[in-house]
């Protein structure tokens, strides 16, 4: 395992093109919300009240590392508090922020699609408990962009890599950060196979 690598998993559809559980062999994996039902990433983050409650009540938080907001903590569940400076962040950006505080030099953002698909919500868990329905409009992503930009600016010693952006879309403001880059899915898979 490469301790320089942190893989942060969003829940956009492009994440389905990567063997996310297999990434545990190559570095630390940070996941969000319902991914806990698929496998246990190194760190799980949930900022939604209902999702955080479900995860803690399942017993997951007592067995694995799970971060949530202070006001969503259930006593003695084992869940940890998201660092104070990330408290207003959404789950994906909060996971990036937690990863940025580690020794990892490269933060690979996978499944951070930002935009919707065919004017519909882009989340692989849409339609499940605590998520919007599949036929809802796309989520507003401006707050995610602002939060990720803040992290890039405050962690200039880290490399933030947007892997396999949906339709090659990445927010223009990301490109202004010297520590940001884009990596195609093929490039990413070649890199993983070499490590």
């Amino acid at each position: 395992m490469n301790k320089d690598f942190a893989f942060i998993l969003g829940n956009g559809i492009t994440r389905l093109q990567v063997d996310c559980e297999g990434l545990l062999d190559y570095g630390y994996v940070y996941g969000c919300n319902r991914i806990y039902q698929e496998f246990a990433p190194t760190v799980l983050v949930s900022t939604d009240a209902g999702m955080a409650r479900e995860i803690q009540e399942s017993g997951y938080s007592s067995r694995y590392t799970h971060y949530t907001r202070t006001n969503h903590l259930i006593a003695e569940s084992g869940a940890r508090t998201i660092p104070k400076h990330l408290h207003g962040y959404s789950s994906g950006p909060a996971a990036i922020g937690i990863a940025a505080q580690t020794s990892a030099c490269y933060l690979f953002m996978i499944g951070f699609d930002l935009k919707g698909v065919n004017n519909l919500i882009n989340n692989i868990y849409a339609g499940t408990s605590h998520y919007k329905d599949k036929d809802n409009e796309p989520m507003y992503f401006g707050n995610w962009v602002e939060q990720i930009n803040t992290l890039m600016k405050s962690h200039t010693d880290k490399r933030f890599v947007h892997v396999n952006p949906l339709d090659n879309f990445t927010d223009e403001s990301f490109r202004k950060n010297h520590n940001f880059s884009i990596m195609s899915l093929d490039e990413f898979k070649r890199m993983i196979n070499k490590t």
Side-chain angles (χ1 to χ4, degrees):
M1 177 174 49
N2 189 334
K3 293 183 180 179
D4 287 337
F5 288 178
F7 305 102
I8 304 96
L9 309 176
N11 292 328
I13 60 168
T14 59
R15 195 193 90 195
L16 299 174
Q17 296 173 298
V18 175
D19 172 14
C20 294
E21 188 171 5
L23 294 175
L24 289 165
D25 293 335
Y26 302 102
Y28 297 108
V29 178
Y30 297 75
C32 303
N33 303 315
R34 191 161 301 289
I35 198 170
Y36 86 98
Q37 291 183 321
E38 296 177 35
F39 74 98
T42 313
V43 173
L44 179 71
V45 178
S46 59
T47 58
D48 172 78
M51 197 73 243
R53 187 179 323 106
E54 177 187 316
I55 293 165
Q56 290 172 86
E57 289 175 349
S58 76
Y60 180 96
S61 310
S62 64
R63 298 187 309 274
Y64 305 103
T65 303
H66 171 217
Y67 284 89
T68 191
R69 293 180 175 156
T70 305
N71 56 331
H72 301 336
L73 285 174
I74 296 174
E76 300 181 17
S77 70
R80 303 175 188 193
T81 303
I82 289 174
K84 196 171 187 177
H85 70 287
L86 299 172
H87 259 251
Y89 280 43
S90 301
S91 296
I96 295 170
I98 291 168
Q101 293 181 301
T102 69
S103 62
C105 303
Y106 297 92
L107 281 60
F108 297 95
M109 301 181 293
I110 301 165
F112 281 80
D113 295 345
L114 301 178
K115 66 178 196 157
V117 176
N118 300 322
N119 292 319
L120 295 174
I121 191 169
N122 175 5
N123 191 301
I124 61 175
Y125 302 119
T128 66
S129 293
H130 313 298
Y131 282 88
K132 294 184 182 287
D133 290 331
K134 293 180 180 182
D135 59 355
N136 275 43
E137 292 183 357
M139 299 283 292
Y140 170 71
F141 60 82
N143 57 328
W144 301 335
V145 167
E146 184 179 324
Q147 292 164 7
I148 294 169
N149 267 319
T150 299
L151 292 168
M152 284 193 265
K153 287 176 172 58
S154 58
H155 295 279
T156 56
D157 58 328
K158 308 288 183 181
R159 255 343 265 163
F160 293 78
V161 183
H162 194 179
V163 177
N164 190 29
L166 178 66
D167 300 329
N168 294 314
F169 173 77
T170 194
D171 196 81
E172 280 304 313
S173 64
F174 287 176
R175 298 174 193 268
K176 296 176 183 176
N177 295 288
H178 78 278
N179 55 342
F180 173 78
S181 59
I182 297 169
M183 182 178 278
S184 72
L185 183 61
D186 286 343
E187 290 173 311
F188 179 73
K189 288 183 174 178
R190 280 197 299 271
M191 179 201 74
I192 289 299
N193 288 334
K194 290 180 182 177
T195 54

